[in-house]
Amino acid sequence: MVWILAAAVTCYAIWQKPLHAWFHTSGAGRITGWLVLLVGILYALLVAFVAVSGYSNPPTGQEKVVIVLGAGLRKDKPSTLLRYRLDKAYAYAAAHPDVLVITSGGQGRDEWVPEGQAMRDYLIAKGLDPEQVVAENASTSTEENFAFSLEIMRQYGYDTSTPVVYVSNAFHCYRAGCYARMAGLTAATSLPAATPWRSVLPCYLREALALAYYWVFKTSASGPMHAMVGFLDLNKRFFYK
């Protein structure tokens, strides 16, 4: 989306006069102009919703399980975006030493180890008890983060009614909550982490489209974009520093 917007602005800057004339004098141009304006307004509203919705379901402090959602590695180390999530999860787990922490994420094509394992190592290195942190290393999407984490929860005697708090960056928390409910977690709250400045624009622009996609298809495992998941995963190289 960043590249597309940059290309659109560049094209308008180069052909500003003919485009401006076409938008104002041609019937087709006027219709196109109004459609572009309408799409722009709707997109801006989606981005605004993404910006505020992540803070709408804060933790109660009574949660028994913390699920940390993966966000990409740099070789075998958490990206900056992921470290923001892990630091937030660490602060909560340190203040609630009885919670079970599940670090959830599989291994991407350009990652040396599974995200869940690298995340667990990071939290233990910061001071969490190794017995408190369990890695989930197979998931490839947010939906699988919750589905596979629920399997681990059941191994520890928890179920879908157990109070759970999931940790992600604020822009992702609303949609993550939708997938948590889809997995059957009926008492899930969110702990939003900040977003590094370099990732703000691409992440919020992308999340607005991802949210619209979810509202249409109700899943990330179907629809026309699913076939591009591997290609879109390359975003990590540019924005998940």
Side-chain angles (χ1 to χ4, degrees):
M1 283 307 303
V2 173
W3 311 133
I4 291 173
L5 289 174
V9 171
T10 302
C11 289
Y12 185 78
I14 296 173
W15 293 289
Q16 180 180 5
K17 290 184 178 179
L19 284 173
H20 193 268
W22 183 67
F23 282 138
H24 286 80
T25 60
S26 167
R30 290 193 185 96
I31 294 174
T32 302
W34 282 108
L35 287 176
V36 169
L37 179 62
L38 178 61
V39 170
I41 292 173
L42 291 176
Y43 193 30
L45 290 174
L46 264 180
V47 173
F49 178 80
V50 167
V52 300
S53 61
Y55 300 93
S56 62
N57 187 28
T60 64
Q62 304 303 312
E63 288 78 12
K64 303 297 183 182
V65 179
V66 177
I67 299 175
V68 193
L69 306 180
L73 304 178
R74 304 298 293 178
K75 297 181 179 178
D76 60 346
K77 303 298 182 184
S79 63
T80 302
L81 195 75
L82 182 53
R83 289 201 304 271
Y84 277 49
R85 300 184 186 188
L86 290 167
D87 291 342
K88 198 77 172 182
Y90 172 79
Y92 187 90
H96 303 82
D98 293 331
V99 298
L100 172 69
V101 180
I102 301 175
T103 53
S104 180
Q107 185 171 350
R109 64 181 65 191
D110 58 344
E111 297 172 344
W112 291 4
V113 297
E115 291 178 11
Q117 185 60 52
M119 294 158 68
R120 180 177 185 270
D121 293 343
Y122 181 91
L123 291 175
I124 292 173
K126 281 183 70 71
L128 289 189
D129 185 344
E131 297 296 323
Q132 188 183 5
V133 190
V134 181
E136 182 283 299
N137 295 323
S139 56
T140 61
S141 66
T142 306
E143 290 170 84
E144 291 182 351
N145 285 150
F146 288 110
F148 297 168
S149 293
L150 179 57
E151 294 177 5
I152 293 176
M153 287 172 55
R154 286 179 169 140
Q155 295 173 13
Y156 283 80
Y158 299 117
D159 56 30
T160 55
S161 64
T162 300
V164 170
V165 59
Y166 58 88
V167 185
S168 188
N169 304 94
F171 67 85
H172 183 236
C173 280
Y174 174 82
R175 188 162 57 94
C178 295
Y179 289 132
R181 290 189 294 274
M182 184 184 296
L185 295 170
T186 58
T189 57
S190 63
L191 187 60
T195 303
W197 67 268
R198 176 175 177 171
S199 301
V200 168
L201 184 60
C203 285
Y204 277 76
L205 292 178
R206 175 189 178 277
E207 185 62 22
L209 292 180
L211 182 56
Y213 191 87
Y214 166 79
W215 284 339
V216 173
F217 294 101
K218 301 302 181 184
T219 175
S220 63
S222 65
M225 295 300 290
H226 181 62
M228 297 182 66
V229 167
F231 173 75
L232 295 175
D233 192 56
L234 296 176
N235 277 332
K236 295 176 183 178
R237 298 186 181 182
F238 296 96
F239 302 120
Y240 287 14
K241 297 295 186 181

